[in-house]
Amino acid sequence: MRRASVRARLTAWYGAWLLTTVAGLGAAVDAMTSRTLLRRIDAMLDFEFDEAAERLAAGGPAEEPAGTPAAFHDVYRMRVWTPDDRAAFESPGLAGLPPPRGEGHATIDVPSLGRHRVVAGPVGAGARRRIVQIATPLASFDAEMAALRGVLWTILPAGAVAATAGGWWLAGRAMAPVGRMTAAARRISAENLGERIEVGHEGDELGRLAATLNAMLDRIDRAFAAARRFTADAAHELKTPIASIRAEAEVALIARRTPEEYAETLRSVVEEADRLTRLADRLLILAADDAGATTARRPFPLDEPVRTAVDRAGGRAASAGVALRLGSIPDVEVLGDPELLRQAFDNLIDNAIKYTSAGGEVAVHGGLRDGRAVVEVVDTGPGIPPDALGKVFDRFYRADASRSRRTGGAGLGLSIVKAVVERHGGRAEAESEPGRGSLFRVVLPAAVRKN
Ligand code: ADP
């Protein structure tokens, strides 16, 4: 079954409670007013009864209480009965009623005169014992009650209906932003992620919800933009080596070549293919990181990946004429994936050798700082300009594009370093003095080895 709208349910609840309250209030006012009025009438009857009793007790003439003002009979009617059930006196109109029974107050119907309130009770003793009954018409009481009920049962339900209609309107107004938010959320897709939901009043719940949804859209928008940029940059980087392979092959095909020339062409094709493989590997690492791939987590000594990276770079350093030195590495254990971390150190050492000219030096050393392991890769290369320093860890960023591309870089090495180190709970930093060299620092949470 389809559930009613929040607006309809709110109004139904509100209206039902309001009507119940109003009905209860009306009934209570009705009952209290009628009780108060009857009590007042009863008090007057009691007063008249006492007066009559006094007159009778004083042995007033016959049974009719002499001296009773004529006006008395307009408002009060009286009956006096002897113990042997004879009427000693009856006001006009009351004749023919059954003899008064019992004591106290009651409401009776008097034929042709209407409803009456009565009080009855014994007066005197022995042979002078009488039952006296005083009655007063309830016509004005009934008229007053009818007027009150008329007012109560007109104003209260009308008020309740008006308030329920107001509630419906208010609920509609309160829920209107939800409708607008739903429409906006329906409109927003990958094509118009820049669109935002109208916030309305920031202070209320719906305003806060809209602001929270907008903040979420901001994050999604940024992630989408980054993914788009990544794909575009990756495609761009892939195009260069592919174009170069194609050009080499085309040139070789134009005319017959010597075996040496073919060998040279194939060598440069292999070189470009290597470049493509390296690029694909790096893209895969970053894509896996974006997808939140889980890192293998095992404790391993920090010097393991550092030493392997330095050992592997030895040949490259030698052929570049750069001195590669390994200093002390703290004897600590790191939790994570040594292969990934080795890749990060590979990139750092690779860059340091790549950007340092022959005769320069690259040093790798470490230490402990505030309970964390620190590994630094320092070179005597050209350094990095201050405005580029903050961007070197960005994907596809090259401080000196022409030089970097010549050396085969796609601007992904340092972004991999950052991603890997952060995945291990650490951080990567860069410092540089242009003209004198650069320093790349990796800070990792580590445990001192116990053996
Ligand atoms: P690339 O593959 O282009 O080297 P990286 O992400 O490894 O990309 O580095 C980004 C940029 O940072 C490089 O293009 C280069 O300009 C600069 N850079 C990185 N390492 C060094 C270094 N040791 N000395 C000077 N510049 C560096």
Side-chain angles (χ1 to χ4, degrees):
M1 199 180 79
R2 207 163 158 258
R3 216 166 144 74
S5 70
V6 174
R7 181 189 193 186
R9 277 184 285 150
L10 270 179
T11 313
W13 265 101
Y14 173 68
W17 275 110
L18 196 66
L19 279 174
T20 313
T21 313
V22 158
L25 182 73
V29 169
D30 185 310
M32 274 165 60
T33 312
S34 110
R35 212 170 60 205
T36 310
L37 288 179
L38 276 182
R39 268 203 199 129
R40 209 170 288 160
I41 293 169
D42 288 347
M44 309 283 258
L45 282 172
D46 288 346
F47 176 77
E48 295 302 334
F49 181 90
D50 291 345
E51 291 261 292
E54 248 174 57
R55 282 194 297 273
L56 282 171
E63 305 297 16
E64 182 177 3
T68 303
F72 172 87
H73 295 289
D74 291 342
V75 186
Y76 297 101
R77 301 190 163 91
M78 188 167 80
R79 293 202 294 166
V80 181
W81 286 67
T82 57
D84 54 356
D85 265 355
R86 254 183 339 98
F89 170 76
E90 274 180 332
S91 290
L94 292 188
L97 286 181
R101 297 269 173 251
E103 288 179 26
H105 305 98
T107 302
I108 59 166
D109 246 327
V110 180
S112 79
L113 287 179
R115 271 154 45 84
H116 276 64
R117 188 71 178 165
V118 296
V119 66
V123 171
R128 296 192 60 80
R129 183 181 154 85
R130 299 285 178 270
I131 303 291
V132 173
Q133 188 184 42
I134 313 275
T136 187
L138 282 178
S140 75
F141 164 83
D142 285 342
E144 272 173 46
M145 284 308 294
L148 175 73
R149 283 179 190 138
V151 171
L152 275 183
W153 299 120
T154 316
I155 288 183
L156 289 185
V161 168
T164 306
W168 171 255
W169 177 77
L170 256 183
R173 257 182 68 113
M175 299 311 283
V178 176
R180 287 199 294 275
M181 277 155 101
T182 311
R186 266 205 201 112
R187 264 197 320 273
I188 297 172
S189 66
E191 274 61 52
N192 59 347
L193 269 177
E195 204 176 306
R196 289 293 172 267
I197 294 166
E198 190 190 318
V199 172
H201 300 286
E202 282 244 21
D204 65 23
E205 291 85 342
L206 292 177
R208 281 201 298 276
L209 174 64
T212 309
L213 288 177
N214 281 342
M216 186 183 76
L217 283 171
D218 284 346
R219 289 195 296 275
I220 295 176
D221 196 9
R222 275 200 299 274
F224 249 75
R228 278 205 193 105
R229 212 167 40 239
F230 183 66
T231 315
D233 288 347
H236 182 75
E237 290 302 326
L238 287 168
K239 260 169 70 181
T240 317
I242 292 171
S244 156
I245 288 174
R246 191 191 165 93
E248 293 276 354
E250 274 173 352
V251 169
L253 283 174
I254 288 172
R256 197 161 270 288
R257 310 276 165 183
T258 63
E260 288 72 31
E261 282 171 327
Y262 281 128
E264 180 54 34
T265 301
L266 286 177
R267 251 195 304 281
S268 68
V269 165
V270 168
E271 221 171 80
E272 291 299 337
D274 276 350
R275 207 167 137 182
L276 270 176
T277 311
R278 220 170 32 247
L279 183 60
D281 285 346
R282 293 185 160 190
L283 288 174
L284 277 176
I285 292 178
L286 288 173
D289 188 65
D290 287 348
T294 46
T295 316
R297 288 181 79 76
R298 68 171 178 87
F300 60 89
L302 176 62
D303 71 343
E304 200 181 280
V306 180
R307 271 178 211 288
T308 316
V310 171
D311 286 349
R312 284 195 189 188
R316 253 170 297 136
S319 56
V322 173
L324 175 60
R325 265 189 265 284
L326 174 63
S328 70
I329 299 297
D331 191 15
V332 292
E333 268 186 351
V334 173
L335 197 63
D337 183 346
E339 233 341 90
L340 267 184
L341 218 51
R342 201 258 312 138
Q343 170 101 50
F345 290 120
D346 265 353
N347 292 356
L348 288 178
I349 297 169
D350 217 40
N351 276 352
I353 295 171
K354 208 161 63 178
Y355 294 107
T356 303
S357 8
E361 187 187 303
V362 172
V364 181
H365 54 237
L368 275 174
R369 198 180 296 165
D370 304 328
R372 305 191 116 208
V374 176
V375 177
E376 291 176 343
V377 178
V378 191
D379 64 54
T380 55
I384 302 164
D387 56 327
L389 203 58
K391 300 184 215 147
V392 288
F393 290 104
D394 292 352
R395 292 177 182 188
F396 298 104
Y397 178 79
R398 301 181 182 103
D400 178 354
S402 64
R403 180 190 172 129
S404 181
R405 189 169 275 134
R406 217 171 41 244
T407 50
L412 289 178
L414 290 179
S415 48
I416 287 181
V417 171
K418 182 170 182 271
V420 167
V421 171
E422 283 178 357
R423 191 107 54 101
H424 283 78
R427 62 174 197 277
E429 304 163 345
E431 288 172 16
S432 178
E433 233 181 284
R436 307 198 61 171
S438 318
L439 179 154
F440 285 88
R441 184 183 301 120
V442 167
V443 185
L444 287 166
V448 176
R449 295 177 73 192
K450 342 175 191 33
N451 53 13

